[in-house]
Amino acid sequence: MSKAQIVGWAHNQFGKSEAPSTERLMAEVVGAALDHAGIGTEAVDGIFVGVMNNGFSKQDFQGALVAMAQEGLDHVPAVRMENACATGSAALYSAMDFIEAGRGRVALVVGAEKMTATPTADVGDILLSACYRAEEAEVEGGFAGLFGRIAQQYFQKHGDRSSELAMIAAKNHANGMANPYAHMRRDFGFDFCNTVSEKNPYVAPPLRRTDCSLVSDGAAALIVADEETASGLRRAIGFRARCNANDILALSRRDVTEFRGARIAWSKALSNAGLSLDDLDLVETHDCFTIAEMIEYEAMGLVEPGQGHRAVREGWTTKDGRLPVNPSGGLKSKGHPIGATGVSMHVMAAMQLMNEGGAMQIPNATLAGVFNMGGAAVANYVSIMERVK
């Protein structure tokens, strides 16, 4: 079986875009990704689109919009994936399955979301579709409220770690300064992130504004090819392993302070790759809220349960630390346009492995991990990536 490899990518500026729709956002990255790979539209055998939508736009049928955005793709089979905040990874994995099943040799993956044109209250309600509405729809503060509850329970078990959450926020904002695609390129510093103020109020206690990722517009694209095709192109990023595992949707039916599905996905991926976490040069992880990144340190096996604070307090996850986490700035600084996020995370990792990370670059990076999750660690995707050529 020929393994699928990433051979090109593109990423636009995340933030509040003047582009009126996902169609226009996708148009900004599709042609650029094909050019980056050195592939024409005639070579594309399948299109895999990640857009959550669910009310951000009345225009749906998002898979069909790619051909509207890029000439030459009129008759290429296209499908749209949705898996909450892991929508982009779901699209990528589906494209890789398509290649590895022998159904095509080249696939285009596009993730996009247009969020900022939607009123803030409506954004919160749309995002709550990623929770179990039968029990959680009335949580105050929307999805931030759900993670506020997770943080409260975590603090009850393991002590107040607000200062360490501020360290995570400050780290990721400092990293985002080097990312030209980031929504917010501003180094707030620890003191600002750790202080409740008029500019940094509680959103869902104990989470402050700086503990929450941004509502963003954006798109990213990947070109995936089989090994034979990739061998004749300029660059190729392979996957030592890729795994996903789910967990129960309802928070009432699991320990929300343990991202068990994430732990399972990480354990399987590292085992399948024949690696330990110490072998990785960096990780791009899903910091939709700072408490999520802290628990993810535990889920990936960097520290024991309840010890997530140690990883950031002791400097392990900084760009020059034991395991740099989110050198791109993560969702916290880069932004979180839902459908684009998983694709973006893989683009960031691929850039590092090809030494194309610019000011974000981790020196001599050869192995990278990506963790993208949908909902409150319900759909969990882990990729272990390496440079092939």
Side-chain angles (χ1 to χ4, degrees):
M1 178 181 69
S2 180
K3 291 290 187 179
Q5 299 176 348
I6 294 171
V7 297
W9 53 82
H11 198 295
N12 69 4
Q13 175 77 51
F14 283 7
K16 188 171 184 178
S17 173
E18 294 182 1
S21 63
T22 54
E23 178 185 343
R24 298 317 306 158
L25 289 168
M26 290 189 282
E28 294 177 8
V29 295
V30 171
L34 290 165
D35 289 344
H36 189 249
I39 286 177
T41 54
E42 72 284 350
V44 178
D45 299 309
I47 301 168
F48 296 81
V49 177
V51 177
M52 187 179 96
N53 195 8
N54 197 50
F56 285 124
S57 170
K58 289 185 177 181
Q59 173 66 62
D60 221 329
F61 202 4
Q62 299 278 336
L65 293 179
V66 179
M68 297 290 293
Q70 179 69 42
E71 291 184 5
L73 297 174
D74 306 34
H75 305 296
V76 181
V79 64
R80 175 268 193 99
M81 303 293 169
E82 184 278 313
N83 212 9
C85 302
T87 288
S89 290
L92 171 60
Y93 280 31
S94 296
M96 295 178 70
D97 290 344
F98 171 80
I99 297 295
E100 293 175 4
R103 295 185 57 211
R105 302 189 67 175
V106 175
L108 164 64
V109 181
V110 192
E113 211 75 62
K114 177 69 180 179
M115 302 174 70
T116 66
T118 302
T120 302
D122 292 341
V123 170
D125 186 60
I126 290 169
L127 295 180
L128 274 175
S129 64
C131 79
Y132 186 52
R133 280 188 177 271
E135 296 179 1
E136 299 156 13
E138 303 307 317
V139 171
E140 187 175 352
F143 220 74
L146 292 179
F147 274 86
R149 285 188 176 183
I150 291 171
Q152 289 171 5
Q153 293 185 39
Y154 186 92
F155 287 4
Q156 288 169 4
K157 288 180 67 174
H158 304 300
D160 188 327
R161 298 302 176 189
S162 296
S163 62
E164 286 85 1
L165 296 188
M167 290 178 184
I168 291 172
K171 168 184 70 75
N172 290 349
H173 276 293
N175 288 351
M177 292 285 289
N179 186 349
Y181 304 111
H183 182 158
M184 185 171 288
R185 299 178 70 187
R186 184 174 177 185
D187 186 355
F188 287 101
F190 168 74
D191 288 341
F192 180 85
C193 294
N194 196 43
T195 303
V196 177
S197 65
E198 183 179 348
K199 293 185 177 180
N200 189 30
Y202 281 122
V203 175
L207 301 181
R208 300 145 295 198
R209 181 176 291 163
T210 50
D211 292 307
C212 306
S213 60
L214 301 160
V215 173
S216 311
D217 307 327
L222 291 161
I223 308 299
V224 182
D226 63 12
E227 290 173 289
E228 182 180 353
T229 302
S231 68
L233 299 174
R234 291 173 290 192
R235 56 180 65 80
I237 302 295
F239 286 69
R240 286 284 289 270
R242 58 184 179 99
C243 295
N244 76 290
N246 265 46
D247 208 340
I248 294 295
L249 179 60
L251 298 184
S252 65
R253 294 179 56 185
R254 55 190 169 105
D255 181 353
V256 297
T257 67
E258 177 198 7
F259 287 3
R260 189 159 184 265
R263 182 178 294 274
I264 290 169
W266 266 109
S267 178
K268 286 184 176 179
L270 289 169
S271 176
N272 291 351
L275 299 169
S276 73
L277 198 67
D278 289 336
D279 293 314
L280 302 185
D281 297 298
L282 68 127
V283 168
E284 287 287 334
T285 202
H286 193 104
D287 60 320
C288 51
F289 301 93
T290 53
I291 185 63
E293 181 168 326
M294 181 176 288
I295 297 174
E296 286 157 19
Y297 296 158
E298 302 169 15
M300 70 176 73
L302 184 59
V303 289
E304 294 297 315
Q307 297 296 306
H309 64 283
R310 288 186 57 212
V312 65
R313 182 164 287 281
E314 297 182 22
W316 297 354
T317 58
T318 59
K319 286 180 73 172
D320 59 354
R322 171 181 164 187
L323 180 64
V325 175
N326 286 332
S328 70
L331 285 57
K332 185 70 208 63
S333 173
K334 178 161 57 75
H336 186 21
I338 304 298
T341 288
V343 180
S344 168
M345 296 172 84
H346 285 86
V347 169
M348 293 294 123
M351 290 173 68
Q352 291 280 357
L353 296 173
M354 287 301 302
N355 198 33
E356 297 178 12
M360 296 183 288
Q361 187 66 47
I362 302 299
N364 305 312
T366 59
L367 287 165
V370 172
F371 172 70
N372 179 209
M373 72 181 183
V378 177
N380 304 279
Y381 291 77
V382 174
S383 303
I384 309 294
M385 301 163 63
E386 64 180 347
R387 180 173 177 171
V388 175
K389 64 172 294 190

